[in-house]
Each structure stands twice: as structure tokens, then as C-alpha cells.
Amino acid sequence: MKLHPKVIAFLSLLIVQIFVALVYKFSQTNGQYSYSTTSAVTLTEFVKLLISFYLLVGSVLVERRISNTSTPKESFRRNLLNKLRMTPNLIYQTFGLAVLYCVNNQLLFYLYRHTDIATVTLFKSITPFLTA
């Protein structure tokens, strides 16, 4: 049985959301986090940045192998710059989304501190459905 990519994305995101909810809830001691929630979000986002950079470089290398029209160094640099080309408007939009994402993450820590895990997970589980 072959699953549609949207179903796979939905299930993957659902599993991630449940795992995150459990980690957030069980990392509390007496209703407080023993670590800085801002630092936790920052480290998580840094790891995501490293993964994204790895995937970007990988896709550039694949394109270089397919095109094979110039020297490896020139081809890699040209493909990487083409993928990273951003207009000022796109930079502002990306910055706005990043700020909203940061606020969302901090709000989640607050919600997990003051509500039960089932309620937050129930409402949060709709996110993968909307995303997929």
C-alpha cells in the first residue's frame, strides 16, 4: 500500500507535535522549566538551520552533477548563489514570519505550563492537517 505524500506529511507532523508536547510537559518540575525556554527554542532553530544548510548544499551538488557544464567550484558557487538570491521584500516577509514563529514557540511554553497536555495537543494537532 502506497501512501500519498500529503498523508505521510500529515502523519509525520502529527508524530512530531505529540512528541514535542510530551517533552515540554515532562520537562517541567513543579510547574516550572529548569532551563531557559528561549535558549531551548534558539538551539532548536540552530539545528534546523544546520539541517537546512546541509539539504541546500546537497541539492546544489546534485544539480552540479546533472549539469556538469563548468568546473566543480564555479558550478557549485553559481548554483548556491542562485538558490540564495533574495529580494528585500522577501527578506522582510521572512523576518516577519520568523518573529511570529518565535512568539508562537514562547506561547506554547506558556500554554504547557498553565494547561493540561491533552487540551493543548488536541488544538495543536490541527496544525499538521492544515499544513499538509
Side-chain angles (χ1 to χ4, degrees):
M1 178 173 120
K2 185 171 177 167
L3 293 176
H4 193 275
K6 287 188 177 187
V7 173
I8 295 170
F10 171 74
L11 294 174
S12 300
L13 290 171
L14 185 63
I15 290 168
V16 167
Q17 291 300 330
I18 291 170
F19 179 74
V20 166
L22 291 173
V23 168
Y24 282 177
K25 193 62 179 177
F26 291 124
S27 67
Q28 291 181 18
T29 306
N30 297 325
Q32 300 291 322
Y33 294 103
S34 60
Y35 54 88
S36 168
T37 56
T38 306
S39 297
V41 170
T42 303
L43 287 173
T44 303
E45 296 307 316
F46 182 71
V47 169
K48 289 180 185 177
L49 177 68
L50 291 177
I51 292 170
S52 298
F53 185 72
Y54 173 78
L55 293 172
L56 174 69
V57 169
S59 71
V60 168
L61 289 175
V62 166
E63 285 181 15
R64 183 181 64 82
R65 275 190 227 127
I66 292 171
S67 66
N68 238 357
T69 57
S70 59
T71 65
K73 188 176 181 181
E74 290 172 9
S75 175
F76 178 79
R77 196 172 85 217
R78 185 178 60 248
N79 287 340
L80 186 61
L81 290 175
N82 283 339
K83 285 188 177 283
L84 295 177
R85 191 174 318 255
M86 296 178 72
T87 63
N89 191 28
L90 183 60
I91 292 171
Y92 295 138
Q93 291 172 353
T94 303
F95 178 75
L97 287 174
V99 168
L100 290 173
Y101 187 68
C102 183
V103 168
N104 179 54
N105 284 333
Q106 290 303 314
L107 182 62
L108 274 178
F109 276 108
Y110 177 80
L111 287 174
Y112 283 123
R113 184 182 300 160
H114 296 288
T115 61
D116 65 303
I117 191 170
T119 304
V120 176
T121 304
L122 176 67
F123 286 105
K124 190 90 172 106
S125 66
I126 231 169
T127 303
F129 177 72
L130 296 174
T131 304

